[in-house]
Amino acid sequence: MKSLSFERWLAGALQAIPLRTNSLIVTLFGDAIAPHGGAALLGGLIDLIDPLGINSRAVRTSVFRLMQEDWLVATPTGRRSEYSLTASGLRRITHAYRRIYDEPQNTWNGAWQIVIIPDGALPADAREALRRELLWEGFGALSQGIFANPSADTGHTQEILAASNAGNKVAHLSATSLDGIVSAPLRHIVEQCWRLEELADDYQRFITRFEPMLNWARTAGSDRAQQFFLLRTLLIHEFRRVQLRDPHLPETLLAKRWPGHAARMLCKQLYELAVPHSEAYLCETLQTKDGRLPPVDAGFFQRFGGIGNA
């Protein structure tokens, strides 16, 4: 496949990929900053995002909103401010990014986790917050107040319920089908509940958008460090957008030649190519109140099943 110039590709990507500043900053913290301790000065964040067409005012507004939503906390340091992940923000990012970077489970015993939120059990705002948390964890809404997932981690679900103060107000059940692991009605429910056709289309668009950059990433050098960082950021931002709608259903519930597998492989290939130069650029651009970013944590190199040492 013929390689595009990065500039041409970036211009097209910025037209096609919806970039909400709040969401992009969450991507940056989860993918790039959390492995380096989870904190950075605001000025560096502004410098990182500026080439994506987002100005400093938008960044300042978004970090303020993320503070209100308990994602970030600010620490003044002279005339500057350092922003770091709150405990709640780190928990949400850890849950979401585990689904992005960890290898999907291929075995399934037919068990489902069911969460039922009775009417009136929670205030409206708490109910909505819990609904969002469950969807982030890959649950699907079977009907109002009833959520199901065939692959969720029980411990993670219990953490969500406890953090939402809902542990003794909702029902958390385990269920299995009496018609076998995969029945026709169950397949129909799965298709509708998670809109798998739309999800497959999203994966295919992801492949179409990023596959042309493989040749560029294989040949570009260290003088393109900033571009590698932008590629990595948009790659994970878009992959995250699709992944957070993907419940990571067992193979037996998916269509043959499920495009999610090819999309994950492409993402891993590009990510591994981008990491060395993008990490160098990140450490040159960002600072904390104590100076340089801390070294990346060891778990970083376990992403996508192992990406090698940057």
Side-chain angles (χ1 to χ4, degrees):
M1 181 177 294
K2 185 178 179 180
S3 178
L4 289 174
S5 72
F6 183 85
E7 293 78 10
R8 181 180 173 189
W9 176 84
L10 180 62
L14 291 180
Q15 286 186 333
I17 297 175
L19 290 183
R20 293 190 304 109
T21 310
N22 289 26
S23 181
L24 183 63
I25 291 174
V26 170
T27 294
L28 276 175
F29 267 91
D31 179 65
I33 300 174
H36 287 276
L41 294 177
L42 179 61
L45 287 176
I46 291 171
D47 291 340
L48 286 179
I49 295 176
D50 180 71
L52 297 176
I54 297 173
N55 61 37
S56 61
R57 181 177 179 181
V59 175
R60 293 176 190 276
T61 299
S62 288
V63 295
F64 177 74
R65 288 174 178 166
L66 290 170
M67 288 173 60
Q68 292 180 311
E69 296 170 6
D70 198 26
W71 282 93
L72 301 176
V73 62
T75 303
T77 173
R79 295 184 176 181
R80 301 181 295 178
S81 292
E82 179 188 74
Y83 289 87
S84 56
L85 290 163
T86 63
S88 174
L90 181 60
R91 177 182 58 80
R92 284 183 275 181
I93 277 177
T94 300
H95 283 185
Y97 280 79
R98 186 181 291 116
R99 293 173 56 212
I100 292 170
Y101 302 118
D102 287 1
E103 294 294 297
Q105 296 292 326
N106 292 322
T107 59
W108 183 49
N109 62 2
W112 291 77
Q113 282 194 63
I114 309 293
V115 173
I116 303 174
I117 309 175
D119 288 344
L122 297 171
D125 56 344
R127 185 186 183 93
E128 174 59 20
L130 178 56
R131 184 190 71 85
R132 289 198 303 267
E133 293 281 357
L134 290 171
L135 294 180
W136 266 57
E137 189 64 17
F139 279 80
L142 298 181
S143 62
Q144 185 174 353
I146 302 178
F147 301 85
N149 193 322
S151 53
D153 183 284
T154 302
H156 297 163
T157 305
Q158 290 175 341
E159 285 180 27
I160 290 172
L161 297 178
S164 303
N165 295 318
N168 61 348
K169 300 174 184 177
V170 306
H172 183 199
L173 312 176
S174 177
T176 55
S177 172
L178 298 179
D179 298 326
I181 287 181
V182 182
S183 62
L186 184 56
R187 283 190 180 277
H188 182 67
I189 290 171
V190 166
E191 283 282 347
Q192 285 191 327
C193 187
W194 281 281
R195 300 181 179 179
L196 293 186
E197 288 189 7
E198 294 179 19
L199 188 60
D201 289 343
D202 282 347
Y203 273 128
Q204 193 55 58
R205 278 190 289 270
F206 174 87
I207 293 168
T208 300
R209 183 165 297 140
F210 286 95
E211 194 172 38
M213 293 310 293
L214 268 175
N215 287 341
W216 177 89
R218 286 169 177 152
T219 57
S222 59
D223 59 322
R224 298 299 188 98
Q226 183 191 52
Q227 294 179 343
F228 271 111
F229 179 79
L230 298 176
L231 172 61
R232 169 182 162 184
T233 299
L234 291 177
L235 177 78
I236 293 300
H237 187 66
E238 187 69 350
F239 193 62
R240 167 180 169 258
R241 185 185 69 82
V242 184
Q243 281 292 292
L244 294 185
R245 290 183 48 237
D246 188 338
H248 290 183
L249 296 172
E251 195 76 24
T252 53
L253 293 174
L254 296 173
K256 293 182 179 179
R257 294 185 294 277
W258 176 244
H261 301 326
R264 174 169 290 273
M265 179 58 67
L266 172 62
C267 190
K268 176 180 179 176
Q269 289 176 306
L270 280 171
Y271 195 78
E272 190 162 19
L273 290 166
V275 157
H277 299 311
S278 64
E279 278 293 298
Y281 179 74
L282 178 74
C283 292
E284 290 174 3
T285 306
L286 283 188
Q287 288 187 321
T288 70
K289 60 182 177 60
D290 298 319
R292 296 176 63 86
L293 288 179
V296 70
D297 64 59
F300 177 82
F301 301 108
Q302 302 306 312
R303 292 177 170 184
F304 295 108
I307 58 172
N309 194 304

